[in-house]
Amino acid sequence: MASIIDTVDASAKELIPEGSGVLVAVSGGIDSMVLMHVLQQLAAKHRWRLVVAHFNHKLRSRASNADQRLVQKVAQRLKLKLTTASWRAGKVSIKKYGLEMAARNARFSFLDKAARRHRCTHIATGHHRGDQVETFFLRLFRGAGGVGLGGMRQVDDFPLNSSLKTSRLLLTFEKIEIRKFAIEEKVKFREDNSNQDITILRNRIRSKLLPYLHRNFNTGIVHPINQSQELIGADAEFARDTAREWLDGKKKSPFEELHLAVQRWVIWHQLIELGIDPQYRQIE
């Protein structure tokens, strides 16, 4: 399907500058495998130097190893450099963060090190519109503020390293568009059976909550949520940046005269600078 290639191509310079080293995070699932094919087709035009990165969590036994073999095989066929690593699950980390978060932290650490090693400035991931909506509900259930509810941005700082950028080139596409591309372009991928595990909150949102909202409230529920995320996120970022400007300014208006939203962000910035994880009750 040419539309994905054309759309990514049209915004490519904004997402990843020409001549950049790009670490492509590929799990073996449909989203990241499509991403790898899209980037491979556009790499020469934009002079991107691609490195495929696969992290084997070793959580699904033979299935995890089969994922890695597929990524290796396809990367080789596409003539792309590949770097891999496997997770040695640490009991201390799992006990502290839980299995899902510990695995996520290990993957992020691998991507950070791989990007440095291969001199990449951008890490490309296969997040799409459906992921954005799921993220909205995950953060809503945690009581997140505007920046959190605003969801993922197409280009953002990488969590472990602000000198690295995360580029989400498929974020504006629906899952159905990605699947159609995979079928038409004969992109090989593997289904992760753990996505059916409804003990994981994200999976329950995907398989239970969103279909319910689709059936009973709005058949096009994804679009208004994405729209709200765009509006909420922009407003929150304005308040956050205004707070930063107030803190950095030499001549300050009294704190009490600042808008409540800006006051909250001023305190948030100060807690971060003190090495304290900001919590709602602390700030209030």
Side-chain angles (χ1 to χ4, degrees):
M1 186 171 69
S3 62
I4 288 186
I5 297 290
D6 293 341
T7 303
V8 172
D9 187 23
S11 58
K13 291 181 181 179
E14 299 171 14
L15 302 176
I16 303 175
E18 288 195 355
S20 297
V22 184
L23 192 75
V24 190
V26 181
S27 66
I30 186 170
D31 306 324
S32 60
M33 295 298 283
V34 164
L35 174 68
M36 177 167 58
H37 280 76
V38 169
L39 285 171
Q40 191 269 343
Q41 291 189 43
L42 293 173
K45 179 178 180 180
H46 297 281
R47 298 185 293 107
W48 292 328
R49 180 174 50 80
L50 304 182
V51 179
V52 174
H54 176 79
F55 189 67
N56 188 339
H57 288 98
K58 294 286 185 179
L59 294 175
R60 293 164 34 247
S61 186
R62 286 183 291 182
S64 293
N65 294 332
D67 293 346
Q68 180 170 335
R69 287 195 298 272
L70 175 64
V71 175
Q72 290 172 326
K73 182 178 179 180
V74 175
Q76 184 178 25
R77 179 171 60 79
L78 295 177
K79 299 180 180 179
L80 296 175
K81 184 180 290 187
L82 173 71
T83 181
T84 65
S86 297
W87 188 34
R88 295 180 180 177
K91 292 182 180 179
V92 174
S93 178
I94 293 173
K95 185 176 181 180
K96 183 177 181 180
Y97 298 107
L99 178 61
E100 193 174 359
M101 184 59 71
R104 176 180 178 272
N105 291 341
R107 182 173 68 255
F108 278 6
S109 178
F110 159 69
L111 293 173
D112 179 35
K113 292 174 183 176
R116 293 170 188 264
R117 186 167 63 252
H118 293 281
R119 295 176 292 107
C120 295
T121 57
H122 289 69
I123 297 176
T125 67
H127 294 100
H128 55 81
R129 268 191 167 181
D131 295 317
Q132 188 78 303
V133 174
E134 292 164 14
T135 298
F136 172 81
F137 283 108
L138 280 170
R139 293 176 178 177
L140 178 68
F141 297 154
R142 292 201 298 262
V147 169
L149 293 177
M152 299 174 284
R153 295 184 294 181
Q154 280 198 283
V155 180
D156 209 346
D157 290 341
F158 185 69
L160 302 186
N161 183 353
S162 60
S163 65
L164 276 173
K165 296 296 180 184
T166 302
S167 295
R168 303 178 178 96
L169 292 90
L170 303 182
L171 198 59
T172 59
F173 297 100
E174 301 277 7
K175 184 77 170 188
I176 191 170
E177 295 177 276
I178 293 171
R179 191 168 292 278
K180 186 177 180 182
F181 180 95
I183 293 170
E184 292 183 352
E185 297 290 326
K186 296 181 174 56
V187 176
K188 292 184 178 180
F189 62 91
R190 284 180 52 80
E191 297 284 2
D192 184 348
N193 290 332
S194 66
N195 289 333
Q196 309 305 317
D197 181 2
I198 60 172
T199 63
I200 298 172
L201 180 55
R202 181 180 287 274
N203 293 343
R204 289 205 303 280
I205 292 170
R206 181 188 304 132
S207 63
K208 301 290 185 181
L209 177 60
L210 289 175
Y212 179 82
L213 294 174
H214 177 88
R215 287 193 308 270
N216 296 284
F217 290 91
N218 186 340
T219 56
I221 190 67
V222 168
H223 296 284
I225 291 176
N226 285 158
Q227 179 177 297
S228 294
Q229 286 181 294
E230 178 67 28
L231 296 169
I232 294 168
D235 290 349
E237 287 176 9
F238 175 78
R240 180 189 63 188
D241 295 346
T242 301
R244 184 73 265 170
E245 290 173 7
W246 184 86
L247 281 166
D248 293 340
K250 292 182 179 179
K251 293 184 178 180
K252 293 182 173 66
S253 56
F255 177 81
E256 293 78 10
E257 294 181 7
L258 296 174
H259 189 282
L260 176 60
V262 178
Q263 289 181 346
R264 284 179 170 134
W265 276 109
V266 166
I267 297 171
W268 184 92
H269 284 299
Q270 291 176 317
L271 289 172
I272 289 291
E273 289 168 0
L274 292 169
I276 300 170
D277 182 26
Q279 300 296 321
Y280 173 78
R281 291 183 182 276
Q282 288 177 320
I283 293 173
E284 294 308 293

